[in-house]
Amino acid sequence: MTDRAWFDAAKGDIPQWAASMPKDADGTTVDWDWVRSLDLAHGVGTIPESTPQSIHDALKADYATRERLESIIAQCNSAFMTDFDRFIGSYRLPRALAYANRRLNDNINTLLHLGEQQHLWAVSRERRGRATIAMLKPYSGSGPSNDDQGMLDLSGEAGGTSAGNTAAENSDVKFPTTVALDDVQDRTAAILDARAERRKAQRFQKRAGDAAMARANLSGATSPGGAALPGGAAASGNATGHHPKPDWRDAYLPGRDVDAVMGIDIETTGIDPARDYIIDVGFEFMNMASPRPAGEPETYAYEQGYYAAGDAYGQSRLAFGVPPENAALGNALIAKLTGIDVRGRSSEAGYRLFDEWPQAQAGLLARLTQQPYVAHNATFEHSWFMLNVAGYAESYRAGRITIIDTLPMSRQWDPGAVPTNEHPYGDNTLDAYAKRQGALDSAHNERHLGLEDSHIMLVAMKHHLAALKAQGKGPWGSTGRAGVGGKSCGRKR
């Protein structure tokens, strides 16, 4: 069990947040008194009676609560990072809200399965734009196959149902469909799409304002018509072949003096750090330029026997659990991808939950701050650390954390990442990048376990940097940077 006192401390930060963040990510005024009223430690979900209307009403209430919570959480990062006067001292309130939202999401999925068991609806998981949502359809006698979730077995007998089947197919109890479905549909995709459209409109307004300023600034570089030349001359002819246009990910590229780094990869029960759980963390250290430190153990056994530690040292693999409600639901997709079956990772089976283990968070933070950390698509790890690791957001904002990403290395500096119809920006998955850089045999695939993926990533990075240095490209090219490089905040360059 976690120390619940930090939830009270998090609520004590509400005045700071209320003064700095009056509106949520959807432009709605935040009811901070409502936030203060929530029992974040013990759950904000609704536990209904086992009747059709009660299940329906509980699901409707939980969806409404989740929408309010997630709109607040989504705005917290921007409010915190743009709090230049440092009025908000801690990020523990968003972490507490995310903690409660994960349990709420488990409760929602439990209610969805209860409804299936009582034949109130059939659930299918469908990809809609930026999100995978739970679509409820009238029960027709046979439910759809569900590859994303396992089964909730309410009989109390382990293994009573198989992952991928619907509860309706396994239930002997027949209930008529007596509840409406229109008001209990998952609105996540519509909310995210609307939010993205608002951001797009804001960017358009900003560009229009910048263009107007450029036209008014006679000393600026302008075209004959008065409009600023977008990107200057360098912007032309830069999107062809192996030279994609620069984008925001380039801030995560390494510099020519990068050396000691820690590679890290996490495996999770889903893609949303405010809904899902960290279940596997793997990390190791490697020097990109200097020799491997003396005195480190010479060998380390990876899961794959064909992996050789080589220059890596300080390897570690950490396993974490999920709440009993999440374990009962199962997760066939993650089991297939990683080999980790969350049905055996319940906290009741002795597994500690990462978001309830302060010592594990502190230990990881200490490693993340002692040298740059490297990840492939590092914004994923960063978003999870923000909402799971105590002190991470504060350390990042203070400039004590530097992040290097091998994904833009693949996009910008790997000539093998050629655009195709299937991959318009080139194939920049870790699997493809590692194979092109000789870190993974073509006969094998990315393992999707934290330690193994960290290893092939660092080996690929080291091979890639060595080749770039020999060619005078990448960090050693005309646009390369001196120093460690990478992305950090609060650091003067």
Side-chain angles (χ1 to χ4, degrees), residues 73-233:
I73 295 168
Q75 187 63 20
C76 286
N77 180 73
S78 177
F80 187 74
M81 297 308 298
T82 58
D83 176 31
F84 302 115
D85 293 328
R86 299 299 188 257
F87 187 68
I88 305 173
S90 172
Y91 207 69
R92 58 191 163 196
L93 180 61
R95 288 194 299 106
L97 297 179
Y99 176 98
N101 196 68
R102 292 182 199 106
R103 278 74 184 168
L104 173 62
N105 198 59
D106 291 344
N107 202 65
I108 287 171
N109 285 321
T110 299
L111 291 172
L112 291 173
H113 280 289
L114 282 172
E116 280 192 299
Q117 287 199 320
Q118 295 203 11
H119 295 177
L120 306 182
W121 49 63
V123 180
S124 63
R125 307 274 169 174
E126 299 181 10
R127 186 72 181 178
R128 296 289 179 86
R130 297 167 175 81
T132 298
I133 63 172
M135 285 293 298
L136 302 188
K137 300 176 182 178
Y139 175 71
S140 60
S142 62
S145 175
N146 184 347
D147 292 331
D148 291 332
Q149 292 282 354
M151 268 293 307
L152 175 64
D153 180 10
L154 297 183
S155 68
E157 298 179 0
T161 56
S162 60
N165 298 330
T166 63
E169 292 174 328
N170 294 281
S171 174
D172 294 329
V173 183
K174 305 301 179 185
F175 294 88
T177 302
T178 59
V179 297
L181 301 185
D182 288 347
D183 58 349
V184 285
Q185 294 292 355
D186 187 347
R187 297 177 61 247
T188 301
I191 291 170
L192 294 181
D193 287 345
R195 199 175 291 165
E197 285 300 315
R198 285 193 296 273
R199 290 196 300 267
K200 181 179 179 181
Q202 291 168 356
R203 289 195 298 269
F204 178 82
Q205 290 177 340
K206 183 180 184 303
R207 286 196 296 267
D210 291 345
M213 289 293 292
R215 285 193 294 270
N217 181 8
L218 299 181
S219 64
T222 59
S223 68
L229 293 171

Side-chain angles (χ1 to χ4, degrees), residues 174-423:
K174 305 301 179 185
F175 294 88
T177 302
T178 59
V179 297
L181 301 185
D182 288 347
D183 58 349
V184 285
Q185 294 292 355
D186 187 347
R187 297 177 61 247
T188 301
I191 291 170
L192 294 181
D193 287 345
R195 199 175 291 165
E197 285 300 315
R198 285 193 296 273
R199 290 196 300 267
K200 181 179 179 181
Q202 291 168 356
R203 289 195 298 269
F204 178 82
Q205 290 177 340
K206 183 180 184 303
R207 286 196 296 267
D210 291 345
M213 289 293 292
R215 285 193 294 270
N217 181 8
L218 299 181
S219 64
T222 59
S223 68
L229 293 171
S236 63
N238 202 31
T240 60
H242 309 315
H243 304 284
K245 287 182 179 179
D247 66 14
W248 59 270
R249 298 176 186 84
D250 294 354
Y252 294 87
L253 288 168
R256 64 178 67 102
D257 301 314
V258 66
D259 189 16
V261 296
M262 183 183 83
I264 189 166
D265 183 77
I266 63 175
E267 302 301 331
T268 61
T269 59
I271 62 172
D272 191 335
R275 293 187 183 182
D276 302 305
Y277 299 91
I278 294 175
I279 53 176
D280 182 77
V281 177
F283 59 84
E284 68 179 25
F285 300 84
M286 188 178 291
N287 297 349
M288 296 292 112
S290 63
R292 183 176 183 274
E296 292 289 342
E298 291 297 324
T299 58
Y300 187 90
Y302 298 92
E303 185 184 83
Q304 284 72 17
Y306 50 87
Y307 280 12
D311 296 331
Y313 58 96
Q315 297 93 334
S316 185
R317 187 197 308 276
L318 307 173
F320 301 100
V322 297
E325 296 78 10
N326 188 281
L329 291 167
N331 196 319
L333 179 64
I334 296 303
K336 180 179 180 180
L337 183 68
T338 68
I340 300 173
D341 189 343
V342 298
R343 291 176 297 182
R345 286 286 185 97
S346 169
S347 56
E348 293 180 341
Y351 281 87
R352 298 285 298 271
L353 276 65
F354 184 75
D355 65 0
E356 293 187 354
W357 198 347
Q359 294 82 1
Q361 296 169 35
L364 181 58
L365 179 62
R367 289 168 172 80
L368 292 171
T369 55
Q370 71 185 27
Q371 74 292 293
Y373 80 80
V374 182
H376 195 79
N377 190 20
T379 53
F380 180 80
E381 274 76 12
H382 173 72
S383 67
W384 284 81
F385 296 156
M386 289 285 289
L387 290 177
N388 279 274
V389 179
Y392 177 88
E394 296 85 344
S395 295
Y396 178 72
R397 189 175 68 171
R400 294 193 292 270
I401 289 175
T402 299
I403 310 170
I404 294 174
D405 194 341
T406 52
L407 176 60
M409 289 183 63
S410 177
R411 284 173 57 96
Q412 299 288 3
W413 296 339
D414 187 344
V418 293
T420 64
N421 290 335
E422 184 178 1
H423 300 284

Side-chain angles (χ1 to χ4, degrees), residues 414-439:
D414 187 344
V418 293
T420 64
N421 290 335
E422 184 178 1
H423 300 284
Y425 300 100
D427 189 349
N428 299 296
T429 61
L430 176 59
D431 183 87
Y433 175 64
K435 286 176 179 176
R436 289 197 300 268
Q437 299 301 326

